[in-house]
Amino acid sequence: MRALSRTSLTQRLTLMFALAASSVLLVLGFVIAASVEQHFEDLDMEVLSGKMELTRQALRTMTSHEALTQFTHQLAQSLVGHPGLEVMVIDADHSVVFATGNAHFSPEVVVSQATRAPGRPAFWALGSHTYRGLAAHIPTAALDSSGSPVKVYVAVATDIAQHTTYLRAFLKTLWLFVAAAVALTGVLGWAAVRRGLMPLRTMREQAQVVTAQQLSHRLPVQHMPVELAELAQSLNDMLARLDEAFTRLSDFSSDIAHELRTPVSNLMTQTQVVLSRPRDVAEYRSVLESNAEELERMARMISDMLLLAKAENGLVVPARETVDLAREVRALFEYYEAVADEKNLQLSLSAPSAVPVLADRLMLRRALGNLLSNAIRHANPDSCVRVTLAQASEEVTVTVENVGDTIAPEFLERIFDRFFRVDPSRQHGDGTGLGLAIAKSIIVGHGGTILATSSGAVTKFTIKLPVTPMLTPLTH
């Protein structure tokens, strides 16, 4: 089995093709040989049966021992012109009454055959000759002392040497032809398999072109056989996924380098300036406090990026429990109330008394908190941030909307990308640029969807989460 596993596909298919063809040819050879032999047997049996019936009819007219002598003379004359045909007549005492020149069969063998299997062909060997014969126990018209018909044993045989010689030569020719056909089938099968597997070699050559720098290369599908076309399409899909993952990884690395370069540069510059000359304690404290803020921002950014990396690779598995969205939104309103008061914003919730979903409480609160924080940050002063909860039979809809600058359609397509900011001037604000990306990852991880729209100075984020039955009753 291990040796077969190391055999090439061409060799395997050629071997299986040759074995299948050999089996068919061998079976065909045996059928032909059996048919020819049966044909010769039928010819012999036709002659032997005719002579046996002729002998049977003649014996029915024999009424005395003198008639038996006359019968033997008639039988000898009837065999003239039938070379190779031998006849033997044996009386009840197992004495040979009549026999042709070469009919030296053992009377016991003839009597046994006539008694055990009358009318069935048998093979008798005399020296170098082989005969096919029939034996029968035939009654005559003569009567014995008890008044019963006198019976004699009759054997009719024909020399099958000519048939045997022909059959031996025929079988030799047949098996030589079968051997040659098997060899030719193997060669033709190898050529056909090699020709048929040529698309596989083409796929291998094309696959060797694919490198980390050329992940966009695709295998040809149009001119492939149906089976290989499916394989090529699967490989192309795999390459597309690898290309997308590699692009995401490259973009992720670029984003990390870009976002961390500025705070690291600021820390280095501030530290170098402070160390350039002696300063008092207050100046050192001020610089250290500034550095601590930058480090905290970097720590949040790294933590957020780690969460996104896990989410994109399916490593975030929410610990689901029954969560009341209305209660969570009210709790977030209390948390962001001070920030909203600074801009004189009103926080409004429109929802049923309880909106239960099966979700990870902390992660879902983080997603809603990111959306609410984003809405407060970009809302116009003296406006209202509205959160609406609606429950249907199959899903729960959450909308967060604020009044502020309208987001252009081309920016809406990228608003959930990492580190993307509609206003570049806010590049160094308090946020890390990962809030919406994290919110989308959490919502998608819960089997939901999130969509952003913006028109007429109103920006709205819409979340749809699947509804599942409550597992535990909600408490208020």
PDB file of all heavy atoms in Angstrom, residues 288-321:
ATOM      1  N   LEU A 288       6.170  64.098  31.656  1.00  0.00           N
ATOM      2  CA  LEU A 288       5.810  62.724  31.974  1.00  0.00           C
ATOM      3  C   LEU A 288       4.304  62.511  31.891  1.00  0.00           C
ATOM      4  O   LEU A 288       3.831  61.448  31.436  1.00  0.00           O
ATOM      5  CB  LEU A 288       6.315  62.367  33.370  1.00  0.00           C
ATOM      6  CG  LEU A 288       7.843  62.230  33.509  1.00  0.00           C
ATOM      7  CD1 LEU A 288       8.221  61.974  34.950  1.00  0.00           C
ATOM      8  CD2 LEU A 288       8.347  61.095  32.616  1.00  0.00           C
ATOM      9  N   GLU A 289       3.519  63.496  32.329  1.00  0.00           N
ATOM     10  CA  GLU A 289       2.070  63.363  32.217  1.00  0.00           C
ATOM     11  C   GLU A 289       1.640  63.309  30.751  1.00  0.00           C
ATOM     12  O   GLU A 289       0.757  62.534  30.375  1.00  0.00           O
ATOM     13  CB  GLU A 289       1.391  64.530  32.929  1.00  0.00           C
ATOM     14  CG  GLU A 289       1.520  64.478  34.447  1.00  0.00           C
ATOM     15  CD  GLU A 289       0.931  65.709  35.114  1.00  0.00           C
ATOM     16  OE1 GLU A 289       0.571  66.657  34.365  1.00  0.00           O
ATOM     17  OE2 GLU A 289       0.797  65.715  36.353  1.00  0.00           O
ATOM     18  N   SER A 290       2.271  64.154  29.914  1.00  0.00           N
ATOM     19  CA  SER A 290       1.960  64.131  28.482  1.00  0.00           C
ATOM     20  C   SER A 290       2.337  62.787  27.872  1.00  0.00           C
ATOM     21  O   SER A 290       1.590  62.209  27.071  1.00  0.00           O
ATOM     22  CB  SER A 290       2.701  65.259  27.763  1.00  0.00           C
ATOM     23  OG  SER A 290       2.474  65.188  26.370  1.00  0.00           O
ATOM     24  N   ASN A 291       3.522  62.273  28.259  1.00  0.00           N
ATOM     25  CA  ASN A 291       3.942  60.972  27.747  1.00  0.00           C
ATOM     26  C   ASN A 291       3.001  59.858  28.207  1.00  0.00           C
ATOM     27  O   ASN A 291       2.708  58.914  27.461  1.00  0.00           O
ATOM     28  CB  ASN A 291       5.364  60.658  28.194  1.00  0.00           C
ATOM     29  CG  ASN A 291       6.393  61.546  27.508  1.00  0.00           C
ATOM     30  OD1 ASN A 291       6.061  62.273  26.568  1.00  0.00           O
ATOM     31  ND2 ASN A 291       7.637  61.497  27.963  1.00  0.00           N
ATOM     32  N   ALA A 292       2.539  59.962  29.441  1.00  0.00           N
ATOM     33  CA  ALA A 292       1.615  58.950  29.954  1.00  0.00           C
ATOM     34  C   ALA A 292       0.318  58.921  29.152  1.00  0.00           C
ATOM     35  O   ALA A 292      -0.236  57.846  28.874  1.00  0.00           O
ATOM     36  CB  ALA A 292       1.323  59.211  31.432  1.00  0.00           C
ATOM     37  N   GLU A 293      -0.175  60.108  28.729  1.00  0.00           N
ATOM     38  CA  GLU A 293      -1.383  60.155  27.902  1.00  0.00           C
ATOM     39  C   GLU A 293      -1.153  59.467  26.566  1.00  0.00           C
ATOM     40  O   GLU A 293      -2.004  58.714  26.071  1.00  0.00           O
ATOM     41  CB  GLU A 293      -1.819  61.606  27.703  1.00  0.00           C
ATOM     42  CG  GLU A 293      -2.315  62.283  28.975  1.00  0.00           C
ATOM     43  CD  GLU A 293      -2.696  63.740  28.721  1.00  0.00           C
ATOM     44  OE1 GLU A 293      -2.537  64.200  27.566  1.00  0.00           O
ATOM     45  OE2 GLU A 293      -3.160  64.406  29.664  1.00  0.00           O
ATOM     46  N   GLU A 294       0.006  59.764  25.971  1.00  0.00           N
ATOM     47  CA  GLU A 294       0.317  59.121  24.691  1.00  0.00           C
ATOM     48  C   GLU A 294       0.439  57.606  24.853  1.00  0.00           C
ATOM     49  O   GLU A 294      -0.020  56.826  24.015  1.00  0.00           O
ATOM     50  CB  GLU A 294       1.618  59.698  24.121  1.00  0.00           C
ATOM     51  CG  GLU A 294       1.510  61.117  23.590  1.00  0.00           C
ATOM     52  CD  GLU A 294       0.672  61.194  22.322  1.00  0.00           C
ATOM     53  OE1 GLU A 294       0.456  60.147  21.687  1.00  0.00           O
ATOM     54  OE2 GLU A 294       0.201  62.293  21.988  1.00  0.00           O
ATOM     55  N   LEU A 295       1.061  57.175  25.933  1.00  0.00           N
ATOM     56  CA  LEU A 295       1.223  55.745  26.163  1.00  0.00           C
ATOM     57  C   LEU A 295      -0.124  55.062  26.406  1.00  0.00           C
ATOM     58  O   LEU A 295      -0.361  53.933  25.958  1.00  0.00           O
ATOM     59  CB  LEU A 295       2.161  55.512  27.350  1.00  0.00           C
ATOM     60  CG  LEU A 295       3.640  55.875  27.113  1.00  0.00           C
ATOM     61  CD1 LEU A 295       4.425  55.794  28.409  1.00  0.00           C
ATOM     62  CD2 LEU A 295       4.256  54.958  26.065  1.00  0.00           C
ATOM     63  N   GLU A 296      -1.017  55.745  27.135  1.00  0.00           N
ATOM     64  CA  GLU A 296      -2.349  55.188  27.344  1.00  0.00           C
ATOM     65  C   GLU A 296      -3.089  55.056  26.018  1.00  0.00           C
ATOM     66  O   GLU A 296      -3.776  54.050  25.769  1.00  0.00           O
ATOM     67  CB  GLU A 296      -3.141  56.063  28.304  1.00  0.00           C
ATOM     68  CG  GLU A 296      -2.656  55.987  29.749  1.00  0.00           C
ATOM     69  CD  GLU A 296      -3.435  56.932  30.646  1.00  0.00           C
ATOM     70  OE1 GLU A 296      -4.339  57.632  30.116  1.00  0.00           O
ATOM     71  OE2 GLU A 296      -3.149  56.990  31.858  1.00  0.00           O
ATOM     72  N   ARG A 297      -2.950  56.083  25.187  1.00  0.00           N
ATOM     73  CA  ARG A 297      -3.595  56.024  23.863  1.00  0.00           C
ATOM     74  C   ARG A 297      -3.019  54.876  23.030  1.00  0.00           C
ATOM     75  O   ARG A 297      -3.753  54.150  22.357  1.00  0.00           O
ATOM     76  CB  ARG A 297      -3.388  57.354  23.140  1.00  0.00           C
ATOM     77  CG  ARG A 297      -4.023  57.404  21.748  1.00  0.00           C
ATOM     78  CD  ARG A 297      -3.943  58.805  21.167  1.00  0.00           C
ATOM     79  NE  ARG A 297      -4.432  58.840  19.812  1.00  0.00           N
ATOM     80  CZ  ARG A 297      -3.689  58.599  18.748  1.00  0.00           C
ATOM     81  NH1 ARG A 297      -2.404  58.317  18.886  1.00  0.00           N
ATOM     82  NH2 ARG A 297      -4.213  58.642  17.530  1.00  0.00           N
ATOM     83  N   MET A 298      -1.714  54.689  23.075  1.00  0.00           N
ATOM     84  CA  MET A 298      -1.091  53.591  22.356  1.00  0.00           C
ATOM     85  C   MET A 298      -1.549  52.247  22.909  1.00  0.00           C
ATOM     86  O   MET A 298      -1.784  51.290  22.162  1.00  0.00           O
ATOM     87  CB  MET A 298       0.429  53.713  22.432  1.00  0.00           C
ATOM     88  CG  MET A 298       0.998  54.886  21.639  1.00  0.00           C
ATOM     89  SD  MET A 298       2.769  55.129  21.952  1.00  0.00           S
ATOM     90  CE  MET A 298       3.413  53.560  21.393  1.00  0.00           C
ATOM     91  N   ALA A 299      -1.679  52.143  24.234  1.00  0.00           N
ATOM     92  CA  ALA A 299      -2.139  50.899  24.840  1.00  0.00           C
ATOM     93  C   ALA A 299      -3.559  50.562  24.393  1.00  0.00           C
ATOM     94  O   ALA A 299      -3.878  49.408  24.089  1.00  0.00           O
ATOM     95  CB  ALA A 299      -2.061  50.995  26.361  1.00  0.00           C
ATOM     96  N   ARG A 300      -4.448  51.587  24.363  1.00  0.00           N
ATOM     97  CA  ARG A 300      -5.810  51.350  23.885  1.00  0.00           C
ATOM     98  C   ARG A 300      -5.808  50.924  22.430  1.00  0.00           C
ATOM     99  O   ARG A 300      -6.553  50.016  22.018  1.00  0.00           O
ATOM    100  CB  ARG A 300      -6.662  52.620  24.062  1.00  0.00           C
ATOM    101  CG  ARG A 300      -6.958  52.986  25.494  1.00  0.00           C
ATOM    102  CD  ARG A 300      -8.119  53.972  25.565  1.00  0.00           C
ATOM    103  NE  ARG A 300      -7.919  55.140  24.719  1.00  0.00           N
ATOM    104  CZ  ARG A 300      -7.304  56.255  25.111  1.00  0.00           C
ATOM    105  NH1 ARG A 300      -6.824  56.341  26.353  1.00  0.00           N
ATOM    106  NH2 ARG A 300      -7.183  57.280  24.292  1.00  0.00           N
ATOM    107  N   MET A 301      -4.970  51.573  21.631  1.00  0.00           N
ATOM    108  CA  MET A 301      -4.898  51.256  20.215  1.00  0.00           C
ATOM    109  C   MET A 301      -4.435  49.811  20.005  1.00  0.00           C
ATOM    110  O   MET A 301      -5.008  49.056  19.206  1.00  0.00           O
ATOM    111  CB  MET A 301      -3.937  52.226  19.509  1.00  0.00           C
ATOM    112  CG  MET A 301      -3.888  52.048  17.996  1.00  0.00           C
ATOM    113  SD  MET A 301      -2.625  53.104  17.265  1.00  0.00           S
ATOM    114  CE  MET A 301      -3.166  54.724  17.837  1.00  0.00           C
ATOM    115  N   ILE A 302      -3.393  49.406  20.743  1.00  0.00           N
ATOM    116  CA  ILE A 302      -2.878  48.041  20.607  1.00  0.00           C
ATOM    117  C   ILE A 302      -3.919  47.022  21.054  1.00  0.00           C
ATOM    118  O   ILE A 302      -4.114  45.971  20.422  1.00  0.00           O
ATOM    119  CB  ILE A 302      -1.573  47.885  21.408  1.00  0.00           C
ATOM    120  CG1 ILE A 302      -0.471  48.738  20.772  1.00  0.00           C
ATOM    121  CG2 ILE A 302      -1.142  46.433  21.485  1.00  0.00           C
ATOM    122  CD1 ILE A 302       0.801  48.807  21.595  1.00  0.00           C
ATOM    123  N   SER A 303      -4.623  47.323  22.140  1.00  0.00           N
ATOM    124  CA  SER A 303      -5.671  46.425  22.613  1.00  0.00           C
ATOM    125  C   SER A 303      -6.800  46.298  21.599  1.00  0.00           C
ATOM    126  O   SER A 303      -7.297  45.201  21.321  1.00  0.00           O
ATOM    127  CB  SER A 303      -6.218  46.931  23.951  1.00  0.00           C
ATOM    128  OG  SER A 303      -7.288  46.128  24.392  1.00  0.00           O
ATOM    129  N   ASP A 304      -7.190  47.451  21.012  1.00  0.00           N
ATOM    130  CA  ASP A 304      -8.249  47.422  20.002  1.00  0.00           C
ATOM    131  C   ASP A 304      -7.810  46.659  18.760  1.00  0.00           C
ATOM    132  O   ASP A 304      -8.582  45.884  18.169  1.00  0.00           O
ATOM    133  CB  ASP A 304      -8.646  48.849  19.623  1.00  0.00           C
ATOM    134  CG  ASP A 304      -9.357  49.571  20.763  1.00  0.00           C
ATOM    135  OD1 ASP A 304      -9.793  48.882  21.698  1.00  0.00           O
ATOM    136  OD2 ASP A 304      -9.449  50.815  20.709  1.00  0.00           O
ATOM    137  N   MET A 305      -6.564  46.850  18.327  1.00  0.00           N
ATOM    138  CA  MET A 305      -6.070  46.160  17.144  1.00  0.00           C
ATOM    139  C   MET A 305      -5.974  44.665  17.393  1.00  0.00           C
ATOM    140  O   MET A 305      -6.239  43.852  16.502  1.00  0.00           O
ATOM    141  CB  MET A 305      -4.719  46.742  16.734  1.00  0.00           C
ATOM    142  CG  MET A 305      -4.880  48.125  16.090  1.00  0.00           C
ATOM    143  SD  MET A 305      -3.381  49.103  15.899  1.00  0.00           S
ATOM    144  CE  MET A 305      -2.117  47.947  15.803  1.00  0.00           C
ATOM    145  N   LEU A 306      -5.617  44.263  18.593  1.00  0.00           N
ATOM    146  CA  LEU A 306      -5.581  42.845  18.924  1.00  0.00           C
ATOM    147  C   LEU A 306      -6.978  42.236  18.864  1.00  0.00           C
ATOM    148  O   LEU A 306      -7.168  41.126  18.356  1.00  0.00           O
ATOM    149  CB  LEU A 306      -4.979  42.657  20.320  1.00  0.00           C
ATOM    150  CG  LEU A 306      -4.874  41.215  20.826  1.00  0.00           C
ATOM    151  CD1 LEU A 306      -3.990  40.386  19.912  1.00  0.00           C
ATOM    152  CD2 LEU A 306      -4.344  41.175  22.253  1.00  0.00           C
ATOM    153  N   LEU A 307      -7.974  42.961  19.377  1.00  0.00           N
ATOM    154  CA  LEU A 307      -9.348  42.479  19.300  1.00  0.00           C
ATOM    155  C   LEU A 307      -9.797  42.327  17.852  1.00  0.00           C
ATOM    156  O   LEU A 307     -10.423  41.331  17.479  1.00  0.00           O
ATOM    157  CB  LEU A 307     -10.269  43.448  20.048  1.00  0.00           C
ATOM    158  CG  LEU A 307     -11.774  43.143  19.954  1.00  0.00           C
ATOM    159  CD1 LEU A 307     -12.084  41.790  20.577  1.00  0.00           C
ATOM    160  CD2 LEU A 307     -12.582  44.240  20.604  1.00  0.00           C
ATOM    161  N   LEU A 308      -9.462  43.310  17.010  1.00  0.00           N
ATOM    162  CA  LEU A 308      -9.835  43.229  15.595  1.00  0.00           C
ATOM    163  C   LEU A 308      -9.157  42.050  14.911  1.00  0.00           C
ATOM    164  O   LEU A 308      -9.756  41.352  14.095  1.00  0.00           O
ATOM    165  CB  LEU A 308      -9.463  44.535  14.878  1.00  0.00           C
ATOM    166  CG  LEU A 308     -10.416  45.709  15.086  1.00  0.00           C
ATOM    167  CD1 LEU A 308      -9.850  46.958  14.414  1.00  0.00           C
ATOM    168  CD2 LEU A 308     -11.785  45.393  14.517  1.00  0.00           C
ATOM    169  N   ALA A 309      -7.868  41.842  15.221  1.00  0.00           N
ATOM    170  CA  ALA A 309      -7.139  40.722  14.613  1.00  0.00           C
ATOM    171  C   ALA A 309      -7.791  39.398  14.977  1.00  0.00           C
ATOM    172  O   ALA A 309      -7.948  38.503  14.144  1.00  0.00           O
ATOM    173  CB  ALA A 309      -5.680  40.754  15.056  1.00  0.00           C
ATOM    174  N   LYS A 310      -8.189  39.250  16.246  1.00  0.00           N
ATOM    175  CA  LYS A 310      -8.857  38.023  16.662  1.00  0.00           C
ATOM    176  C   LYS A 310     -10.215  37.881  15.977  1.00  0.00           C
ATOM    177  O   LYS A 310     -10.599  36.786  15.540  1.00  0.00           O
ATOM    178  CB  LYS A 310      -9.041  38.023  18.176  1.00  0.00           C
ATOM    179  CG  LYS A 310      -7.754  37.838  18.962  1.00  0.00           C
ATOM    180  CD  LYS A 310      -8.043  37.797  20.450  1.00  0.00           C
ATOM    181  CE  LYS A 310      -6.770  37.557  21.261  1.00  0.00           C
ATOM    182  NZ  LYS A 310      -7.058  37.499  22.711  1.00  0.00           N
ATOM    183  N   ALA A 311     -10.955  38.980  15.878  1.00  0.00           N
ATOM    184  CA  ALA A 311     -12.279  38.920  15.270  1.00  0.00           C
ATOM    185  C   ALA A 311     -12.198  38.532  13.801  1.00  0.00           C
ATOM    186  O   ALA A 311     -12.999  37.738  13.302  1.00  0.00           O
ATOM    187  CB  ALA A 311     -12.984  40.272  15.422  1.00  0.00           C
ATOM    188  N   GLU A 312     -11.204  39.090  13.085  1.00  0.00           N
ATOM    189  CA  GLU A 312     -11.085  38.803  11.658  1.00  0.00           C
ATOM    190  C   GLU A 312     -10.659  37.361  11.408  1.00  0.00           C
ATOM    191  O   GLU A 312     -10.868  36.826  10.333  1.00  0.00           O
ATOM    192  CB  GLU A 312     -10.083  39.759  11.010  1.00  0.00           C
ATOM    193  CG  GLU A 312     -10.593  41.185  10.916  1.00  0.00           C
ATOM    194  CD  GLU A 312      -9.578  42.107  10.271  1.00  0.00           C
ATOM    195  OE1 GLU A 312      -8.455  41.641  10.008  1.00  0.00           O
ATOM    196  OE2 GLU A 312      -9.916  43.274  10.018  1.00  0.00           O
ATOM    197  N   ASN A 313     -10.062  36.696  12.380  1.00  0.00           N
ATOM    198  CA  ASN A 313      -9.645  35.311  12.229  1.00  0.00           C
ATOM    199  C   ASN A 313     -10.577  34.343  12.953  1.00  0.00           C
ATOM    200  O   ASN A 313     -10.239  33.187  13.164  1.00  0.00           O
ATOM    201  CB  ASN A 313      -8.212  35.118  12.748  1.00  0.00           C
ATOM    202  CG  ASN A 313      -7.180  35.769  11.844  1.00  0.00           C
ATOM    203  OD1 ASN A 313      -6.777  35.210  10.836  1.00  0.00           O
ATOM    204  ND2 ASN A 313      -6.776  36.983  12.204  1.00  0.00           N
ATOM    205  N   GLY A 314     -11.749  34.820  13.336  1.00  0.00           N
ATOM    206  CA  GLY A 314     -12.739  33.956  13.944  1.00  0.00           C
ATOM    207  C   GLY A 314     -12.396  33.477  15.332  1.00  0.00           C
ATOM    208  O   GLY A 314     -12.890  32.440  15.768  1.00  0.00           O
ATOM    209  N   LEU A 315     -11.533  34.224  16.046  1.00  0.00           N
ATOM    210  CA  LEU A 315     -11.110  33.789  17.368  1.00  0.00           C
ATOM    211  C   LEU A 315     -11.960  34.375  18.487  1.00  0.00           C
ATOM    212  O   LEU A 315     -11.782  34.033  19.641  1.00  0.00           O
ATOM    213  CB  LEU A 315      -9.637  34.170  17.599  1.00  0.00           C
ATOM    214  CG  LEU A 315      -8.646  33.560  16.609  1.00  0.00           C
ATOM    215  CD1 LEU A 315      -7.238  34.023  16.915  1.00  0.00           C
ATOM    216  CD2 LEU A 315      -8.718  32.040  16.640  1.00  0.00           C
ATOM    217  N   VAL A 316     -12.863  35.281  18.138  1.00  0.00           N
ATOM    218  CA  VAL A 316     -13.736  35.867  19.149  1.00  0.00           C
ATOM    219  C   VAL A 316     -15.028  35.058  19.189  1.00  0.00           C
ATOM    220  O   VAL A 316     -15.799  35.057  18.238  1.00  0.00           O
ATOM    221  CB  VAL A 316     -14.038  37.343  18.831  1.00  0.00           C
ATOM    222  CG1 VAL A 316     -15.041  37.897  19.837  1.00  0.00           C
ATOM    223  CG2 VAL A 316     -12.758  38.149  18.848  1.00  0.00           C
ATOM    224  N   VAL A 317     -15.233  34.317  20.244  1.00  0.00           N
ATOM    225  CA  VAL A 317     -16.441  33.508  20.400  1.00  0.00           C
ATOM    226  C   VAL A 317     -17.257  34.095  21.548  1.00  0.00           C
ATOM    227  O   VAL A 317     -16.905  33.917  22.720  1.00  0.00           O
ATOM    228  CB  VAL A 317     -16.097  32.041  20.696  1.00  0.00           C
ATOM    229  CG1 VAL A 317     -17.373  31.216  20.830  1.00  0.00           C
ATOM    230  CG2 VAL A 317     -15.187  31.484  19.609  1.00  0.00           C
ATOM    231  N   PRO A 318     -18.305  34.842  21.249  1.00  0.00           N
ATOM    232  CA  PRO A 318     -19.069  35.490  22.322  1.00  0.00           C
ATOM    233  C   PRO A 318     -19.651  34.482  23.301  1.00  0.00           C
ATOM    234  O   PRO A 318     -20.124  33.422  22.922  1.00  0.00           O
ATOM    235  CB  PRO A 318     -20.189  36.212  21.553  1.00  0.00           C
ATOM    236  CG  PRO A 318     -19.688  36.335  20.149  1.00  0.00           C
ATOM    237  CD  PRO A 318     -18.837  35.130  19.923  1.00  0.00           C
ATOM    238  N   ALA A 319     -19.586  34.813  24.596  1.00  0.00           N
ATOM    239  CA  ALA A 319     -20.251  34.021  25.640  1.00  0.00           C
ATOM    240  C   ALA A 319     -21.680  34.535  25.741  1.00  0.00           C
ATOM    241  O   ALA A 319     -21.954  35.542  26.385  1.00  0.00           O
ATOM    242  CB  ALA A 319     -19.512  34.169  26.964  1.00  0.00           C
ATOM    243  N   ARG A 320     -22.597  33.875  25.091  1.00  0.00           N
ATOM    244  CA  ARG A 320     -23.942  34.424  24.926  1.00  0.00           C
ATOM    245  C   ARG A 320     -24.774  34.267  26.192  1.00  0.00           C
ATOM    246  O   ARG A 320     -24.711  33.256  26.877  1.00  0.00           O
ATOM    247  CB  ARG A 320     -24.643  33.753  23.748  1.00  0.00           C
ATOM    248  CG  ARG A 320     -23.938  34.001  22.411  1.00  0.00           C
ATOM    249  CD  ARG A 320     -24.636  33.272  21.278  1.00  0.00           C
ATOM    250  NE  ARG A 320     -23.911  33.423  20.038  1.00  0.00           N
ATOM    251  CZ  ARG A 320     -24.119  34.371  19.131  1.00  0.00           C
ATOM    252  NH1 ARG A 320     -25.051  35.274  19.362  1.00  0.00           N
ATOM    253  NH2 ARG A 320     -23.414  34.422  18.019  1.00  0.00           N
ATOM    254  N   GLU A 321     -25.568  35.274  26.448  1.00  0.00           N
ATOM    255  CA  GLU A 321     -26.546  35.275  27.529  1.00  0.00           C
ATOM    256  C   GLU A 321     -27.667  36.215  27.111  1.00  0.00           C
ATOM    257  O   GLU A 321     -27.552  36.970  26.137  1.00  0.00           O
ATOM    258  CB  GLU A 321     -25.907  35.746  28.842  1.00  0.00           C
ATOM    259  CG  GLU A 321     -25.326  37.153  28.756  1.00  0.00           C
ATOM    260  CD  GLU A 321     -24.746  37.604  30.080  1.00  0.00           C
ATOM    261  OE1 GLU A 321     -25.493  37.579  31.065  1.00  0.00           O
ATOM    262  OE2 GLU A 321     -23.561  37.967  30.119  1.00  0.00           O
TER     263      GLU A 321
END
